[in-house]
Amino acid sequence: MLPVFKKSGQLSLTTYKSCVGALAAGALLLASTGCEKIVDLNLKTSTAQLVIEGNLVDDNQPCQVSISRSANYTDTNTFEAVRGATITLADNAGGLETLRETATPGRYLGATLRGVPGRTYTLRVETDGAAYVATSRLPAPVVPFEKLSTQLSAFGTDNIQAVVDYTDPAGKGNSYLFRQYRNGKLNNAIFVQNDEFTDGNRISQVLRTRSSSSTDPNELDKLKAGDSLRVEMQNIDPGVYEYFRTLTLILTAGGAPTTTPANPKSNFSGGALGYFSAHSRRVLTIKVP
């Protein structure tokens, strides 16, 4: 029997890696939040899997990659860093570099290649005799982040929500990811959007955190008047969007029982978990009124 993970949209690879052993046992069960029931869980263990998190941004910084191994549900939130991997990054303009491992175990850093809108990048990771490859295109043109504001939720006068405004360019295939910071602290939630039904429109999107006493008992993510609110808007490619979309299905509880993928759809070949994302980053900051 599998556990019910009530994450309410709070997407975290740390959370995901600690649950992967349980997820590997079968389909995830989603339950309604109307009541709670104490159950005995018969969790199976599974072989640790490689987890790769790679990012290349159009901010004139080099590529950053973290490699670790997943933990079983019953393990502590300590993930084994993978040392000594060989990682190369190439672009479709003839660029090629080998990333170096930093003083932080499992963390690798590029040197020369930078994120350029319109270019396609290929990240290759070799470790323990196996190779894992992912390709990501940094979208072009970069869609401007036009406005950040707040509004009160219709479900509670003390529930303040961020609102982002941008204009989607004509032509389907644009995808976006938003991260929210309250007083400099990153909110656990990740918000993903594409233009399947909004192609070419001006968008005003509410970032609904659904913060509650169970998901955020200390109200660290709950916006309040006077807070500093920072939101990061990323233009991501469709493969990265699909990864975070399927991760949302796994970590979001609610509604009738349903079947979801056992793992999010990674853009890495070879069976690795995680993702490689070449994307733009635009940031706006306001004071919550």
Side-chain angles (χ1 to χ4, degrees), residues 168-189:
D168 181 78
K172 287 188 176 182
N174 298 298
S175 304
Y176 310 95
L177 183 151
F178 296 91
R179 302 306 312 269
Q180 178 175 306
Y181 297 76
R182 179 196 175 209
N183 297 327
K185 178 187 175 293
L186 177 63
N187 189 302
N188 283 327

Side-chain angles (χ1 to χ4, degrees), residues 71-90:
N72 281 306
Y73 181 76
T74 53
D75 293 341
T76 60
N77 285 344
T78 301
F79 312 108
E80 177 191 359
V82 175
R83 302 170 182 261
T86 300
I87 305 178
T88 58
L89 176 69

Side-chain angles (χ1 to χ4, degrees), residues 36-284:
E36 294 183 1
K37 181 180 180 181
I38 299 175
V39 295
D40 293 326
L41 301 179
N42 180 19
L43 301 177
K44 298 180 180 179
T45 59
S46 63
T47 302
Q49 292 180 264
L50 195 71
V51 181
I52 307 171
E53 301 172 57
N55 289 281
L56 179 64
V57 189
D58 68 336
D59 59 359
N60 202 35
Q61 298 297 311
C63 181
Q64 300 184 38
V65 177
S66 296
I67 311 178
S68 60
R69 295 196 183 279
S70 62
N72 281 306
Y73 181 76
T74 53
D75 293 341
T76 60
N77 285 344
T78 301
F79 312 108
E80 177 191 359
V82 175
R83 302 170 182 261
T86 300
I87 305 178
T88 58
L89 176 69
D91 65 20
N92 60 346
L96 176 66
E97 70 174 356
T98 299
L99 278 65
R100 62 175 179 85
E101 187 169 8
T102 68
T104 302
R107 185 172 181 270
Y108 300 78
L109 193 65
T112 59
L113 291 187
R114 296 294 188 265
V116 178
R119 288 189 184 176
T120 299
Y121 298 85
T122 299
L123 188 72
R124 179 182 177 89
V125 176
E126 297 181 40
T127 183
D128 294 334
Y132 309 88
V133 180
T135 298
S136 181
R137 179 181 181 272
L138 205 161
V142 173
V143 178
F145 190 176
E146 297 172 357
K147 181 182 177 183
L148 172 62
S149 58
T150 61
Q151 69 173 32
L152 292 178
S153 168
F155 301 100
T157 57
D158 65 338
N159 189 6
I160 301 173
Q161 299 172 325
V163 183
V164 297
D165 287 80
Y166 62 96
T167 301
D168 181 78
K172 287 188 176 182
N174 298 298
S175 304
Y176 310 95
L177 183 151
F178 296 91
R179 302 306 312 269
Q180 178 175 306
Y181 297 76
R182 179 196 175 209
N183 297 327
K185 178 187 175 293
L186 177 63
N187 189 302
N188 283 327
I190 290 179
F191 311 90
V192 186
Q193 181 74 32
N194 70 6
D195 65 351
E196 181 178 359
F197 303 108
T198 57
D199 179 40
N201 294 344
R202 189 175 189 277
I203 310 299
S204 186
Q205 178 69 43
V206 178
L207 305 186
R208 294 182 174 87
T209 62
R210 300 183 180 89
S211 179
S212 68
S213 59
S214 61
T215 62
D216 185 20
N218 297 316
E219 295 190 344
L220 297 179
D221 294 337
K222 187 174 182 179
L223 292 174
K224 298 179 180 179
D227 282 345
S228 171
L229 170 63
R230 173 188 174 194
V231 173
E232 174 183 306
M233 175 182 177
Q234 298 180 12
N235 291 184
I236 58 177
D237 73 12
V240 175
Y241 168 83
E242 188 64 11
Y243 171 83
F244 284 108
R245 186 191 72 82
T246 53
L247 183 57
T248 305
L249 294 178
I250 292 172
L251 296 182
T252 302
T258 184
T259 299
T260 64
N263 292 316
K265 294 182 180 179
S266 173
N267 57 355
F268 275 98
S269 66
L273 304 177
Y275 65 94
F276 168 54
S277 176
H279 59 268
S280 66
R281 178 188 292 148
R282 299 294 182 268
V283 177
L284 291 179

Side-chain angles (χ1 to χ4, degrees), residues 26-40:
L28 177 69
L29 178 65
L30 299 183
S32 66
T33 58
C35 61
E36 294 183 1
K37 181 180 180 181
I38 299 175
V39 295
D40 293 326

